[in-house]
Amino acid sequence: MKLKSFVRLLIHSFEAILSSKGKAILMMLGTAVGIMLLSGVVGISRGVEKRIEEVMKFVGPRTGIIFAGGGRLTGASGRTGSGATLKLDDLNALRSSLSDRAVFSGAIRRDGFSLKYGSQATESQIFAGDTEFLIVNEWEIDSGEPIDNDDVRNVKRVCILGITAVKNLFTDEDPIGKRILINNIPFEVKGIFKPKGTNPMGFDLDDIVFIPLSTGMKRVFHTDSIRVIRFKVREGFDLTNVQEEIRGVLNQRHKIKEGEPSDFDIRTPLFIANRINEMTKTIRLGGYVLALVALFVGGIVLMNILLLSVSERIKEIGLKRAIGATQKDIFVEFLLESITVSLLGMALGVIFGLLPIFLLPKIMPMIPMAFTVKVFLYGFLFSLLVGIFFGVQPARRASKLTPIEALR
Amino acid sequence: MIELKGVKKTYYTDGKETPVLYGIDFKVEEGEYVAIMAPSGTGKSTLLNILGTLDKPTEGKYLFRGRDLTELNDDELSKLRNKSFGFVFQLFNLLNRVSVLDNILLPLLYTEVYPKNAREKALKLLSMVGLSERVHYKPNALSGGQQQRVAIARALINDPDLLLADEPTGNLDSKSSGEILEIFDEIHKRGRTIIVVTHEREVAERAERIITLKDGKVFKEERLK
């Protein structure tokens, strides 16, 4: 068939569809709902991918975190039980046995500490860490000096501020060298971090105060245990292997036998990615199932209405056969109607499907959503399939009518 | 142009045989205007359907310009109908959802080569049947006589060799009937072959020759002009 005659046939099909709008809307409905759901699911899937990419980028592909306490996990960003199971000695042991494979750093993070400078007061969270912590996390200094081994060794009261903390405490002054009070303990501001923005969970990474690990443990938190140990695997070593070696060292130190649960947790970006994937799996799977059911039901509705339409238009078919339409012409005509209706349903579905993609992140930021052209691609493919699959039978029935049967 | 040789038609329903045509023989020459006359329900529509290749005879031969049409397959017959035959039905059979113009152009949806001047041609035919003012009307906004004139224009769009009309005035008042028959006269004058099936004597008498059927056979042939 030549393109021009195809276009004429297409226009003719459009006219047939437009002539009974009620029916057309019924025929479109299933595809529209199906494609709408499909768009939503495709959007979520893309959102998940994107969030995982963000997490990977944020955590770094070669880093991992050892959390104190074991047992149940509460989520990708969650903290494990408050077990004080990681000690400074654990950190030192890891350093001495695995320093050729990874850089280890210890840190304690706590919220809600009062900060004061002159008459300005605010609250912030305190990160107590060693010099390696800055390296592993790639936290860089914008001005001033970083905390060095001398500060850690001598339990010095020095700190580095994030820019949010700086803004909250200082108006015009240069903070470097100034004394601030953390929980009423005087600290000297040694440096300021480069801005880091927010993490994928929406947490402001610039609203922090960083102090030496030793100072934090002895003077501020009064504890001998650390909450997390971060590590960065050196080039040429495999993250998963190193993770297992760490587990071995710590299990031995904590006297945990094989098969028993550890009293700590090691998390890697891969683990976090899997968590996000798992959390959204049900939504995605359910969405796909619903979309397919809607498409199937919609397809059956479409087929039945089209079958009805064939019986109603028997005279028209007879006439067309009389004036020279072949069986194939009639078949193509009805199939084209089915496909056209289905594609119109798709257009509707994509429009309504794009709404949640753009609106849902504002209402429920927990559910990752992102736009992708796949929405159009899948929508087109699926509605084309529905149109063809469910249009074949009516089209066949129409084409098999003999002219004399149809004209009678 | 046309030769029927021993054409028989028997319908089979529920294992029961119903013979309708018992062996029809006649010829139609190029450019002739022939009426086939018979009372209702005596197989004249069946005969017209066979002549129009919408139905196949159970027995016998149908030669069209020397070619036996009973040997052609469905596709070949469709193409032949599109190219060489024009149909006018008792109930007009127009598509109400498209305009008068698109109804006339409808057969061109199925032609292998779409003529370049199709629209001009359709407008010319429309003016010939006296409906130039109604180009963009929908058929159901027209009177019966006007609808039948549109149907005639549609039948002529592909320049058919043969115009087949099945009770073309059967649903029309006498004034409209007269107008339709005048158009047939005009078409015939321009050299087209016409076969009209009717049960009305006045309609049949407009033709050059009347073939009367009785009991599924040719009962008599009269030459009028």
Side-chain angles (χ1 to χ4, degrees):
Chain A
M1 201 180 288
K2 289 193 194 83
L3 184 68
K4 268 192 178 170
S5 24
F6 180 76
V7 169
R8 265 186 287 272
L9 210 57
L10 198 66
I11 293 169
H12 189 67
S13 298
F14 254 109
E15 284 166 341
I17 292 162
L18 287 179
S19 69
S20 49
K21 292 186 187 70
K23 257 187 219 161
I25 287 169
L26 269 181
M27 284 199 269
M28 274 177 226
L29 211 62
T31 327
V33 171
I35 296 300
M36 190 184 90
L37 287 168
L38 200 68
S39 304
V41 183
V42 171
I44 289 181
S45 296
R46 177 65 199 130
V48 169
E49 274 171 33
K50 222 170 142 184
R51 186 161 292 183
I52 289 173
E53 279 164 27
E54 281 170 8
V55 168
M56 289 286 198
K57 217 167 135 193
F58 174 71
V59 182
R62 311 191 58 80
T63 59
I65 306 172
I66 309 166
F67 282 92
R72 279 184 59 80
L73 306 170
T74 49
S77 67
R79 286 160 246 177
T80 45
S82 55
T85 53
L86 284 181
K87 311 283 179 192
L88 205 52
D89 289 345
D90 288 321
L91 177 60
N92 291 331
L94 287 172
R95 276 192 183 133
S96 62
S97 53
L98 295 171
S99 62
D100 59 326
R101 281 137 217 249
V103 181
F104 293 89
S105 84
I108 303 174
R109 186 189 81 182
R110 290 209 187 154
D111 295 320
F113 278 79
S114 69
L115 298 185
K116 274 183 206 152
Y117 176 71
S119 59
Q120 298 287 335
T122 184
E123 269 194 6
S124 186
Q125 66 170 334
I126 310 291
F127 262 96
D130 46 24
T131 50
E132 286 88 348
F133 185 87
L134 300 179
I135 298 165
V136 169
N137 288 290
E138 290 169 6
W139 286 6
E140 286 165 33
I141 302 294
D142 194 39
S143 62
E145 295 290 324
I147 279 172
D148 54 33
N149 286 327
D150 184 51
D151 296 327
V152 178
R153 210 176 306 121
N154 296 321
V155 201
K156 280 194 180 165
R157 286 177 308 200
V158 288
C159 67
I160 301 173
L161 300 179
I163 49 157
T164 307
V166 170
K167 274 180 204 147
N168 287 339
L169 284 181
F170 298 91
T171 38
D172 299 321
E173 283 176 88
D174 179 9
I176 310 288
K178 301 287 181 320
R179 259 169 197 270
I180 63 166
L181 294 175
I182 301 173
N183 253 16
N184 291 322
I185 307 160
F187 275 79
E188 186 194 322
V189 179
K190 212 182 164 196
I192 295 167
F193 285 122
K194 279 188 185 167
K196 291 183 285 289
T198 51
N199 76 0
M201 315 305 160
F203 171 75
D204 182 3
L205 293 170
D206 295 316
D207 190 11
I208 58 160
V209 178
F210 187 82
I211 57 176
L213 184 62
S214 51
T215 317
M217 293 172 88
K218 286 185 183 135
R219 304 200 173 194
V220 184
F221 306 135
H222 308 292
T223 177
D224 65 342
S225 61
I226 44 183
R227 175 56 74 48
V228 294
I229 297 174
R230 283 174 183 260
F231 59 95
K232 186 171 189 177
V233 176
R234 292 186 199 278
E235 286 293 329
F237 290 96
D238 179 62
L239 180 59
T240 318
N241 291 343
V242 174
Q243 189 186 339
E244 285 318 300
E245 285 175 297
I246 290 170
R247 193 176 291 282
V249 169
L250 290 180
N251 276 347
Q252 202 183 10
R253 284 184 55 80
H254 295 188
K255 301 193 168 57
I256 289 159
K257 295 186 191 94
E258 253 195 65
E260 274 177 36
S262 306
D263 56 356
F264 57 89
D265 244 308
I266 307 174
R267 302 214 194 142
T268 59
L270 206 66
F271 172 87
I272 297 166
N274 283 341
R275 285 292 296 169
I276 297 176
N277 239 329
E278 246 168 63
M279 274 161 58
T280 53
K281 209 178 193 172
T282 334
I283 303 176
R284 280 184 288 157
L285 200 71
Y288 274 118
V289 170
L290 277 179
L292 286 181
V293 168
L295 284 174
F296 187 75
V297 172
I300 290 191
V301 170
L302 187 149
M303 180 174 78
N304 280 294
I305 295 176
L306 206 57
L307 280 172
L308 189 75
S309 163
V310 170
S311 344
E312 279 174 2
R313 281 153 65 190
I314 277 189
K315 262 196 149 30
E316 173 188 330
I317 296 163
L319 166 80
K320 284 175 172 171
R321 294 285 278 124
I323 62 176
T326 59
Q327 291 193 357
K328 199 184 116 203
D329 289 330
I330 299 291
F331 182 83
V332 170
E333 240 179 89
F334 273 86
L335 195 62
L336 216 54
E337 268 182 46
S338 168
I339 293 171
T340 309
V341 161
S342 194
L343 289 182
L344 286 175
M346 173 210 81
L348 226 77
V350 166
I351 291 169
F352 285 113
L354 287 179
L355 287 180
I357 291 182
F358 291 111
L359 290 183
L360 209 61
K362 294 194 174 82
I363 306 161
M364 296 171 73
M366 276 305 291
I367 299 174
M369 268 277 186
F371 171 74
T372 154
V373 271
K374 273 188 192 161
V375 167
F376 297 108
L377 189 74
Y378 283 18
F380 179 74
L381 275 180
F382 273 90
S383 44
L384 193 67
L385 272 179
V386 166
I388 292 172
F389 187 79
F390 291 98
V392 162
Q393 216 212 325
R396 265 175 71 95
R397 185 175 291 184
S399 71
K400 290 289 174 222
L401 285 167
T402 63
I404 204 72
E405 264 180 311
L407 269 177
R408 198 175 287 147
Chain B
M1 181 191 227
I2 285 173
E3 187 176 1
L4 294 191
K5 284 182 176 173
V7 165
K8 290 183 184 175
K9 182 71 190 180
T10 306
Y11 288 112
Y12 298 91
T13 36
D14 306 325
K16 238 174 75 185
E17 282 186 28
T18 319
V20 179
L21 302 177
Y22 288 85
I24 306 263
D25 301 87
F26 66 76
K27 283 185 186 174
V28 175
E29 300 301 330
E30 298 271 355
E32 234 190 326
Y33 183 177
V34 176
I36 296 172
M37 218 178 79
S40 296
T42 50
K44 63 181 187 321
S45 284
T46 303
L47 180 59
L48 190 88
N49 286 338
I50 289 172
L51 284 169
T53 74
L54 299 173
D55 205 352
K56 281 195 169 186
T58 319
E59 242 179 81
K61 277 187 175 179
Y62 173 16
L63 300 176
F64 181 79
R65 290 186 168 156
R67 191 149 71 132
D68 187 0
L69 299 187
T70 59
E71 282 168 8
L72 300 187
N73 67 26
D74 195 85
D75 272 13
E76 290 166 326
L77 289 177
S78 299
K79 281 179 185 135
L80 178 80
R81 283 197 295 272
N82 185 250
K83 211 172 134 255
S84 307
F85 294 178
F87 289 89
V88 176
F89 301 96
Q90 183 176 358
L91 294 171
F92 331 130
N93 289 19
L94 298 173
L95 287 189
N96 281 323
R97 62 167 187 266
V98 299
S99 69
V100 162
L101 180 67
D102 284 337
N103 264 289
I104 296 172
L105 292 171
L106 196 63
L108 299 179
L109 265 186
Y110 310 110
T111 46
E112 266 157 39
V113 188
Y114 196 86
K116 277 209 177 84
N117 56 345
R119 205 184 139 87
E120 289 76 53
K121 209 167 152 190
L123 293 174
K124 228 166 145 184
L125 285 168
L126 210 50
S127 110
M128 186 199 97
V129 298
L131 284 175
S132 292
E133 313 292 302
R134 301 282 192 270
V135 184
H136 299 295
Y137 277 55
K138 293 280 162 73
N140 46 14
L142 303 179
S143 72
Q146 289 172 325
Q147 290 194 39
Q148 193 61 300
R149 284 190 264 160
V150 174
I152 294 170
R154 178 183 66 195
L156 296 175
I157 189 74
N158 263 345
D159 290 319
D161 304 305
L162 174 65
L163 186 69
L164 290 161
D166 186 3
E167 300 275 15
T169 58
N171 259 40
L172 302 177
D173 59 54
S174 56
K175 185 173 169 281
S176 303
S177 298
E179 286 165 2
I180 296 297
L181 293 174
E182 258 164 49
I183 293 170
F184 277 19
D185 288 345
E186 177 63 27
I187 294 166
H188 175 234
K189 235 183 259 165
R190 295 185 187 185
R192 196 124 19 216
T193 315
I194 302 176
I195 301 179
V196 174
V197 165
T198 181
H199 66 279
E200 290 173 274
R201 184 79 200 171
E202 313 92 273
V203 174
E205 277 174 351
R206 299 293 281 254
E208 295 169 300
R209 187 156 61 100
I210 303 176
I211 298 170
T212 310
L213 299 187
K214 200 178 174 187
D215 301 326
K217 280 183 173 172
V218 176
F219 173 64
K220 66 174 177 186
E221 286 193 44
E222 310 160 63
R223 186 160 292 280
L224 303 174
K225 287 162 199 165

